[in-house]
Amino acid sequence: MQLPPTGDDRPVVLALRALKLGDLLVAVPALHAIKRARPDHRLVYAAPGWLRPIVSLVDSVDDLLPTPGLDDPLDLEPGSVETVVNLHGNGPESRGALERLRAPVRLGHHAPGWDGPEWLDGIHERDRWARLVSAHGMPADPLDMRLRVPAVRPVVPNATVVHVGAFYGSRQWPVTRFAEVARALTEDGQRVVFTGSAAEAARAREVAALSGLPDETVLAGRLELDGFASLIAAAALVVSADTGAAHLASAYRVPSVVLFGPAPVEEWGPPADGPHIVLTDATLRRGDTFGSEPDPAILAVTPADVVSAARSLASRPV
């Protein structure tokens, strides 16, 4: 197929990153740089369709090509795209998906048939993609993470958002610990709400019950993605594992306490100059990102650690 007709005859730049919310948000600085360098082009982002509400908040992106993953070819006619940018990785699957489009210009890391910088292990993901596009003549600032605030009003303004979910068990902090934190922050006078996906709603209700808070504080499964972003953008504080919620807090510079397990902070952590505190014990990290059991690094974080960090952020000058 071709891209949906828009009356827009600009040449197309297609940026591939068929991953999740946090993966989108660390690529935002690179997307801004691409658009600055190619203002006369239509920038299309290839990613899962459910991300559309957040993609629409990235001013640099003109359209989304729904791409659930790399199992199937990209749903575009070969020759319909002028430039492809591999923001997905540097493996044969992502390169092959883009090569099949037969675009005249390919931008990615160095690989057979691709010119570009060498792939570096162990660097921050924001730096990785900013470095990539910069090497291709598109200067990027890895801290340029800006997103527009959604038009939808936050369902609970100035909330303390306790995000109890994480896609993989390796990042899930125990519900009893989340509940202890929620109780303490509620006693401090903060308005606590619980978020997560629809699949995590039962977990959120359990945390609320254990913390003695009513069911209406459970927003997990009740918000569309733009509503979730609106809630985060207007929040007083976000407490979360290393998930999309934490990356949204970084983008909106909302104070956050981020619990890290299998992922290295050096590669996925919030900006060091922001109102964010990271808690983990890297010496215990097992590093099994897709594991079903909580990583020892996140289990080393206690409720007292989180409450202390949250109170520290609350006491900082605005």
Side-chain angles (χ1 to χ4, degrees):
M1 64 171 283
Q2 295 287 346
L3 288 167
T6 63
D8 187 343
D9 59 358
R10 292 176 295 172
V12 172
V13 177
L14 181 77
L16 172 66
R17 192 160 173 81
L19 297 165
K20 298 182 180 68
L21 175 58
D23 303 286
L24 161 62
L25 296 173
V26 296
V28 165
L31 294 170
H32 288 325
I34 294 169
K35 191 64 172 182
R36 281 195 301 271
R38 303 281 181 90
D40 56 341
H41 285 57
R42 182 180 173 196
L43 177 54
V44 177
Y45 187 69
W50 62 268
L51 285 172
R52 186 178 294 278
I54 304 301
V55 173
S56 70
L57 303 177
V58 184
D59 285 331
S60 299
V61 177
D62 296 299
D63 204 353
L64 172 73
L65 177 70
T67 307
L70 300 181
D71 291 339
D72 298 313
L74 293 170
D75 195 13
L76 288 174
E77 292 291 337
S80 62
V81 172
E82 182 205 78
T83 301
V84 292
V85 186
N86 191 352
L87 299 181
H88 187 95
N90 195 35
E93 295 86 357
S94 57
R95 295 198 311 268
L98 293 172
E99 288 166 3
R100 282 190 287 271
L101 297 181
R102 299 204 300 268
V105 181
R106 298 176 186 168
L107 306 182
H109 287 89
H110 179 75
W114 292 70
D115 292 326
E118 295 290 339
W119 180 277
L120 296 180
D121 290 324
I123 66 173
H124 199 286
E125 283 290 293
R126 286 190 303 272
D127 294 333
R128 179 184 309 288
W129 305 114
R131 172 179 176 269
L132 171 66
V133 298
S134 295
H136 286 290
M138 303 174 174
D141 176 359
L143 295 180
D144 184 9
M145 301 177 291
R146 67 186 187 282
L147 294 177
R148 285 189 295 105
V149 175
V152 60
R153 297 179 63 181
V155 63
V156 182
N158 205 39
T160 290
V161 178
V162 177
H163 189 77
V164 303
F167 195 78
Y168 297 106
S170 59
R171 301 183 187 193
Q172 288 185 352
W173 205 48
V175 293
T176 53
R177 301 191 192 185
F178 272 124
E180 190 171 335
V181 169
R183 281 196 303 272
L185 297 183
T186 299
E187 290 168 1
D188 286 349
Q190 300 187 38
R191 187 176 182 184
V192 174
V193 297
F194 303 99
T195 59
S197 68
E200 295 157 347
R203 176 177 167 86
R205 286 192 295 270
E206 183 179 1
V207 176
L210 289 171
S211 59
L213 291 175
D215 191 61
E216 54 262 32
T217 61
V218 178
L219 303 180
R222 293 172 46 195
L223 300 176
E224 300 294 335
L225 198 52
D226 56 350
F228 178 57
S230 176
L231 177 75
I232 296 290
L237 173 71
V238 174
V239 177
S240 174
D242 170 31
T243 67
H247 289 287
L248 281 171
S250 292
Y252 290 122
R253 294 189 63 83
V254 171
S256 66
V257 180
V258 188
L259 287 61
F260 267 75
V265 176
E266 298 78 14
E267 297 178 27
W268 290 95
D273 66 344
H276 315 291
I277 295 177
V278 170
L279 299 175
T280 190
D281 186 341
T283 65
L284 300 178
R285 186 173 64 229
R286 185 182 297 129
D288 181 5
T289 301
F290 309 111
S292 59
E293 297 298 322
D295 193 284
I298 199 170
L299 290 180
V301 179
T302 68
D305 294 331
V306 176
V307 172
S308 176
R311 289 172 175 164
S312 172
L313 288 170
S315 67
R316 290 186 183 184
V318 178

